[in-house]
Short mmCIF file of all heavy atoms in Angstrom, two decimals:
data_model
loop_
_atom_site.label_atom_id
_atom_site.label_comp_id
_atom_site.label_asym_id
_atom_site.label_seq_id
_atom_site.Cartn_x
_atom_site.Cartn_y
_atom_site.Cartn_z
N ALA A 1 17.37 6.75 10.41
CA ALA A 1 16.23 7.54 10.88
C ALA A 1 15.58 6.93 12.11
O ALA A 1 14.68 7.53 12.71
CB ALA A 1 15.19 7.68 9.78
N GLY A 2 16.01 5.72 12.49
CA GLY A 2 15.38 5.03 13.61
C GLY A 2 13.96 4.61 13.29
O GLY A 2 13.12 4.51 14.19
N LEU A 3 13.69 4.32 12.02
CA LEU A 3 12.34 4.03 11.57
C LEU A 3 12.21 2.58 11.14
O LEU A 3 13.05 2.06 10.40
CB LEU A 3 11.98 4.92 10.38
CG LEU A 3 10.65 4.62 9.69
CD1 LEU A 3 9.48 5.08 10.56
CD2 LEU A 3 10.57 5.27 8.32
N GLY A 4 11.15 1.93 11.61
CA GLY A 4 10.84 0.58 11.17
C GLY A 4 9.37 0.44 10.86
O GLY A 4 8.52 0.97 11.59
N LEU A 5 9.04 -0.24 9.77
CA LEU A 5 7.67 -0.46 9.34
C LEU A 5 7.43 -1.95 9.14
O LEU A 5 8.27 -2.64 8.55
CB LEU A 5 7.38 0.27 8.03
CG LEU A 5 7.59 1.79 8.01
CD1 LEU A 5 7.38 2.33 6.60
CD2 LEU A 5 6.67 2.49 9.00
N ALA A 6 6.29 -2.43 9.62
CA ALA A 6 5.90 -3.83 9.43
C ALA A 6 4.51 -3.89 8.84
O ALA A 6 3.65 -3.05 9.16
CB ALA A 6 5.93 -4.57 10.77
N HIS A 7 4.27 -4.90 8.01
CA HIS A 7 2.99 -4.98 7.30
C HIS A 7 2.58 -6.42 7.09
O HIS A 7 3.39 -7.27 6.75
CB HIS A 7 3.12 -4.29 5.94
CG HIS A 7 1.84 -4.20 5.18
ND1 HIS A 7 1.50 -5.07 4.17
CD2 HIS A 7 0.79 -3.34 5.29
CE1 HIS A 7 0.31 -4.74 3.69
NE2 HIS A 7 -0.14 -3.71 4.34
N ARG A 8 1.31 -6.71 7.34
CA ARG A 8 0.69 -7.98 6.96
C ARG A 8 -0.37 -7.67 5.93
O ARG A 8 -1.17 -6.74 6.11
CB ARG A 8 0.03 -8.66 8.16
CG ARG A 8 0.96 -9.14 9.22
CD ARG A 8 1.88 -10.25 8.85
NE ARG A 8 1.33 -11.31 8.04
CZ ARG A 8 1.93 -12.50 7.89
NH1 ARG A 8 3.07 -12.77 8.51
NH2 ARG A 8 1.40 -13.41 7.10
N GLN A 9 -0.38 -8.44 4.86
CA GLN A 9 -1.27 -8.10 3.75
C GLN A 9 -2.26 -9.21 3.42
O GLN A 9 -1.91 -10.38 3.39
CB GLN A 9 -0.45 -7.80 2.50
CG GLN A 9 -1.29 -7.29 1.33
CD GLN A 9 -0.44 -6.77 0.19
OE1 GLN A 9 0.78 -6.70 0.31
NE2 GLN A 9 -1.08 -6.41 -0.90
N LEU A 10 -3.48 -8.77 3.17
CA LEU A 10 -4.52 -9.60 2.60
C LEU A 10 -4.73 -9.15 1.17
O LEU A 10 -5.08 -7.99 0.93
CB LEU A 10 -5.83 -9.47 3.39
CG LEU A 10 -7.05 -10.20 2.82
CD1 LEU A 10 -6.84 -11.71 2.89
CD2 LEU A 10 -8.32 -9.81 3.58
N ALA A 11 -4.48 -10.01 0.21
CA ALA A 11 -4.62 -9.64 -1.20
C ALA A 11 -6.08 -9.35 -1.51
O ALA A 11 -6.97 -10.11 -1.15
CB ALA A 11 -4.10 -10.75 -2.11
N THR A 12 -6.33 -8.23 -2.21
CA THR A 12 -7.70 -7.86 -2.58
C THR A 12 -7.76 -7.57 -4.07
O THR A 12 -7.92 -8.46 -4.88
CB THR A 12 -8.17 -6.65 -1.76
OG1 THR A 12 -7.21 -5.59 -1.88
CG2 THR A 12 -8.31 -7.03 -0.29
N VAL A 13 -7.60 -6.31 -4.43
CA VAL A 13 -7.78 -5.92 -5.82
C VAL A 13 -6.60 -6.34 -6.69
O VAL A 13 -6.76 -6.95 -7.73
CB VAL A 13 -7.99 -4.38 -5.93
CG1 VAL A 13 -8.07 -3.96 -7.38
CG2 VAL A 13 -9.24 -3.99 -5.18
N ASP A 14 -5.39 -6.00 -6.26
CA ASP A 14 -4.21 -6.23 -7.09
C ASP A 14 -3.32 -7.25 -6.43
O ASP A 14 -2.44 -6.92 -5.65
CB ASP A 14 -3.45 -4.91 -7.29
CG ASP A 14 -2.25 -5.06 -8.21
OD1 ASP A 14 -2.10 -6.15 -8.79
OD2 ASP A 14 -1.47 -4.11 -8.33
N SER A 15 -3.56 -8.52 -6.73
CA SER A 15 -2.78 -9.58 -6.09
C SER A 15 -1.32 -9.53 -6.50
O SER A 15 -0.45 -10.07 -5.80
CB SER A 15 -3.38 -10.95 -6.44
OG SER A 15 -3.34 -11.15 -7.85
N SER A 16 -0.99 -8.88 -7.62
CA SER A 16 0.40 -8.79 -8.06
C SER A 16 1.23 -7.93 -7.13
O SER A 16 2.46 -7.99 -7.15
CB SER A 16 0.48 -8.23 -9.48
OG SER A 16 0.05 -6.88 -9.51
N SER A 17 0.57 -7.09 -6.31
CA SER A 17 1.32 -6.18 -5.43
C SER A 17 1.61 -6.80 -4.09
O SER A 17 2.21 -6.16 -3.24
CB SER A 17 0.53 -4.88 -5.24
OG SER A 17 -0.65 -5.12 -4.48
N VAL A 18 1.23 -8.05 -3.88
CA VAL A 18 1.40 -8.67 -2.58
C VAL A 18 2.85 -8.65 -2.14
O VAL A 18 3.16 -8.40 -0.99
CB VAL A 18 0.85 -10.11 -2.58
CG1 VAL A 18 1.28 -10.87 -1.34
CG2 VAL A 18 -0.66 -10.09 -2.68
N GLU A 19 3.77 -8.90 -3.06
CA GLU A 19 5.18 -8.98 -2.70
C GLU A 19 5.86 -7.62 -2.66
O GLU A 19 7.03 -7.53 -2.34
CB GLU A 19 5.92 -9.91 -3.68
CG GLU A 19 5.37 -11.32 -3.72
CD GLU A 19 5.48 -12.04 -2.39
OE1 GLU A 19 6.37 -11.70 -1.60
OE2 GLU A 19 4.63 -12.92 -2.12
N ALA A 20 5.14 -6.57 -3.03
CA ALA A 20 5.78 -5.26 -3.18
C ALA A 20 5.60 -4.36 -1.98
O ALA A 20 5.96 -3.21 -2.02
CB ALA A 20 5.22 -4.56 -4.42
N GLN A 21 5.04 -4.87 -0.89
CA GLN A 21 4.80 -4.03 0.27
C GLN A 21 6.05 -3.98 1.15
O GLN A 21 6.73 -4.98 1.31
CB GLN A 21 3.63 -4.57 1.08
CG GLN A 21 2.32 -4.57 0.35
CD GLN A 21 1.70 -3.19 0.24
OE1 GLN A 21 2.02 -2.30 1.03
NE2 GLN A 21 0.87 -3.00 -0.73
N PRO A 22 6.34 -2.84 1.82
CA PRO A 22 5.63 -1.57 1.65
C PRO A 22 6.10 -0.84 0.39
O PRO A 22 7.29 -0.79 0.12
CB PRO A 22 6.00 -0.79 2.91
CG PRO A 22 7.33 -1.33 3.31
CD PRO A 22 7.34 -2.79 2.89
N PRO A 23 5.17 -0.30 -0.40
CA PRO A 23 5.54 0.33 -1.67
C PRO A 23 6.06 1.76 -1.48
O PRO A 23 5.81 2.41 -0.47
CB PRO A 23 4.22 0.34 -2.44
CG PRO A 23 3.18 0.45 -1.38
CD PRO A 23 3.73 -0.31 -0.19
N TRP A 24 6.78 2.23 -2.50
CA TRP A 24 7.28 3.60 -2.55
C TRP A 24 6.56 4.35 -3.66
O TRP A 24 6.14 3.76 -4.65
CB TRP A 24 8.78 3.61 -2.82
CG TRP A 24 9.60 3.26 -1.62
CD1 TRP A 24 9.89 2.00 -1.17
CD2 TRP A 24 10.21 4.16 -0.71
NE1 TRP A 24 10.65 2.07 -0.03
CE2 TRP A 24 10.87 3.39 0.28
CE3 TRP A 24 10.29 5.55 -0.63
CZ2 TRP A 24 11.57 3.96 1.33
CZ3 TRP A 24 10.98 6.12 0.42
CH2 TRP A 24 11.63 5.34 1.38
N SER A 25 6.47 5.66 -3.49
CA SER A 25 5.88 6.50 -4.53
C SER A 25 6.82 6.59 -5.72
O SER A 25 8.02 6.30 -5.62
CB SER A 25 5.58 7.90 -3.99
OG SER A 25 6.78 8.56 -3.63
N GLY A 26 6.29 7.02 -6.87
CA GLY A 26 7.09 7.15 -8.07
C GLY A 26 8.26 8.10 -7.91
O GLY A 26 9.31 7.91 -8.53
N SER A 27 8.11 9.12 -7.08
CA SER A 27 9.18 10.09 -6.86
C SER A 27 10.27 9.55 -5.94
O SER A 27 11.36 10.12 -5.84
CB SER A 27 8.61 11.36 -6.24
OG SER A 27 8.14 11.10 -4.91
N GLY A 28 9.96 8.44 -5.23
CA GLY A 28 10.90 7.91 -4.25
C GLY A 28 10.87 8.65 -2.92
O GLY A 28 11.69 8.38 -2.04
N ARG A 29 9.90 9.55 -2.77
CA ARG A 29 9.85 10.35 -1.54
C ARG A 29 9.06 9.67 -0.43
O ARG A 29 9.42 9.77 0.74
CB ARG A 29 9.22 11.72 -1.84
CG ARG A 29 9.03 12.59 -0.61
CD ARG A 29 8.54 13.98 -0.95
NE ARG A 29 8.29 14.76 0.25
CZ ARG A 29 7.92 16.04 0.27
NH1 ARG A 29 7.78 16.69 -0.88
NH2 ARG A 29 7.71 16.67 1.41
N TYR A 30 7.98 8.97 -0.78
CA TYR A 30 7.06 8.44 0.22
C TYR A 30 7.03 6.91 0.23
O TYR A 30 7.07 6.27 -0.82
CB TYR A 30 5.63 8.95 -0.04
CG TYR A 30 5.48 10.44 0.01
CD1 TYR A 30 5.37 11.19 -1.16
CD2 TYR A 30 5.44 11.11 1.23
CE1 TYR A 30 5.22 12.56 -1.12
CE2 TYR A 30 5.30 12.49 1.28
CZ TYR A 30 5.18 13.22 0.10
OH TYR A 30 5.04 14.58 0.14
N CYS A 31 6.92 6.38 1.43
CA CYS A 31 6.75 4.95 1.64
C CYS A 31 5.55 4.76 2.57
O CYS A 31 5.30 5.61 3.44
CB CYS A 31 8.01 4.37 2.27
SG CYS A 31 7.95 2.61 2.67
N ILE A 32 4.80 3.66 2.39
CA ILE A 32 3.56 3.51 3.16
C ILE A 32 3.35 2.07 3.59
O ILE A 32 3.74 1.13 2.90
CB ILE A 32 2.35 3.98 2.31
CG1 ILE A 32 1.12 4.21 3.18
CG2 ILE A 32 2.06 3.01 1.19
CD1 ILE A 32 -0.03 4.88 2.44
N VAL A 33 2.76 1.91 4.77
CA VAL A 33 2.13 0.65 5.16
C VAL A 33 0.67 0.99 5.43
O VAL A 33 0.35 1.93 6.14
CB VAL A 33 2.79 -0.01 6.39
CG1 VAL A 33 4.10 -0.67 6.00
CG2 VAL A 33 3.02 0.97 7.54
N PHE A 34 -0.22 0.19 4.84
CA PHE A 34 -1.62 0.58 4.69
C PHE A 34 -2.54 -0.55 5.10
O PHE A 34 -2.33 -1.71 4.74
CB PHE A 34 -1.87 0.95 3.22
CG PHE A 34 -3.27 1.35 2.89
CD1 PHE A 34 -3.68 2.66 3.00
CD2 PHE A 34 -4.18 0.40 2.43
CE1 PHE A 34 -4.98 3.04 2.67
CE2 PHE A 34 -5.48 0.76 2.11
CZ PHE A 34 -5.88 2.08 2.22
N ASP A 35 -3.59 -0.20 5.84
CA ASP A 35 -4.65 -1.14 6.21
C ASP A 35 -5.99 -0.52 5.82
O ASP A 35 -6.31 0.58 6.28
CB ASP A 35 -4.62 -1.42 7.72
CG ASP A 35 -5.82 -2.24 8.19
OD1 ASP A 35 -6.38 -3.01 7.38
OD2 ASP A 35 -6.18 -2.11 9.38
N GLY A 36 -6.77 -1.20 4.98
CA GLY A 36 -8.09 -0.68 4.66
C GLY A 36 -8.42 -0.75 3.19
O GLY A 36 -7.80 -1.48 2.42
N ARG A 37 -9.42 0.02 2.81
CA ARG A 37 -9.88 0.12 1.42
C ARG A 37 -10.19 1.58 1.11
O ARG A 37 -10.75 2.30 1.94
CB ARG A 37 -11.15 -0.71 1.20
CG ARG A 37 -10.98 -2.19 1.28
CD ARG A 37 -10.06 -2.74 0.21
NE ARG A 37 -10.45 -2.33 -1.13
CZ ARG A 37 -11.36 -2.97 -1.88
NH1 ARG A 37 -11.99 -4.03 -1.39
NH2 ARG A 37 -11.63 -2.54 -3.09
N ILE A 38 -9.82 1.99 -0.10
CA ILE A 38 -10.19 3.31 -0.61
C ILE A 38 -11.27 3.08 -1.66
O ILE A 38 -11.01 2.53 -2.73
CB ILE A 38 -8.98 4.04 -1.21
CG1 ILE A 38 -7.94 4.28 -0.12
CG2 ILE A 38 -9.41 5.37 -1.83
CD1 ILE A 38 -6.65 4.87 -0.63
N TYR A 39 -12.49 3.47 -1.36
CA TYR A 39 -13.61 3.16 -2.22
C TYR A 39 -13.56 3.90 -3.55
O TYR A 39 -14.07 3.41 -4.56
CB TYR A 39 -14.93 3.47 -1.50
CG TYR A 39 -15.10 2.73 -0.20
CD1 TYR A 39 -15.62 3.37 0.92
CD2 TYR A 39 -14.75 1.38 -0.08
CE1 TYR A 39 -15.78 2.69 2.12
CE2 TYR A 39 -14.90 0.70 1.10
CZ TYR A 39 -15.42 1.36 2.21
OH TYR A 39 -15.57 0.69 3.40
N ASN A 40 -13.00 5.09 -3.56
CA ASN A 40 -12.95 5.87 -4.81
C ASN A 40 -11.57 5.83 -5.44
O ASN A 40 -11.16 6.79 -6.10
CB ASN A 40 -13.38 7.31 -4.54
CG ASN A 40 -12.45 8.06 -3.62
OD1 ASN A 40 -11.81 7.46 -2.75
ND2 ASN A 40 -12.37 9.38 -3.76
N PHE A 41 -10.83 4.74 -5.27
CA PHE A 41 -9.47 4.69 -5.80
C PHE A 41 -9.46 4.75 -7.33
O PHE A 41 -8.53 5.29 -7.92
CB PHE A 41 -8.71 3.47 -5.28
CG PHE A 41 -8.96 2.19 -6.02
CD1 PHE A 41 -8.08 1.76 -7.00
CD2 PHE A 41 -10.06 1.40 -5.73
CE1 PHE A 41 -8.30 0.58 -7.68
CE2 PHE A 41 -10.29 0.22 -6.41
CZ PHE A 41 -9.40 -0.19 -7.39
N ARG A 42 -10.49 4.20 -8.00
CA ARG A 42 -10.53 4.28 -9.46
C ARG A 42 -10.73 5.73 -9.92
O ARG A 42 -10.15 6.16 -10.92
CB ARG A 42 -11.65 3.38 -10.00
CG ARG A 42 -11.34 1.89 -9.87
CD ARG A 42 -12.37 1.04 -10.59
NE ARG A 42 -12.03 -0.37 -10.55
CZ ARG A 42 -12.37 -1.19 -9.55
NH1 ARG A 42 -13.07 -0.73 -8.52
NH2 ARG A 42 -12.00 -2.46 -9.58
N GLU A 43 -11.55 6.46 -9.20
CA GLU A 43 -11.75 7.88 -9.51
C GLU A 43 -10.44 8.65 -9.32
O GLU A 43 -10.08 9.50 -10.15
CB GLU A 43 -12.84 8.45 -8.61
CG GLU A 43 -13.04 9.94 -8.72
CD GLU A 43 -14.01 10.45 -7.67
OE1 GLU A 43 -14.90 9.69 -7.26
OE2 GLU A 43 -13.87 11.63 -7.27
#
């Protein structure tokens, strides 16, 4: 696809996910590199 993704991570809420970046969705359709915080993620 000619696609490359790079990510640097600062562990915050879930330190166990540090090694899992970039993660894939459960369906295997989506992959993400993410910077920021989602305040309503628990909701």
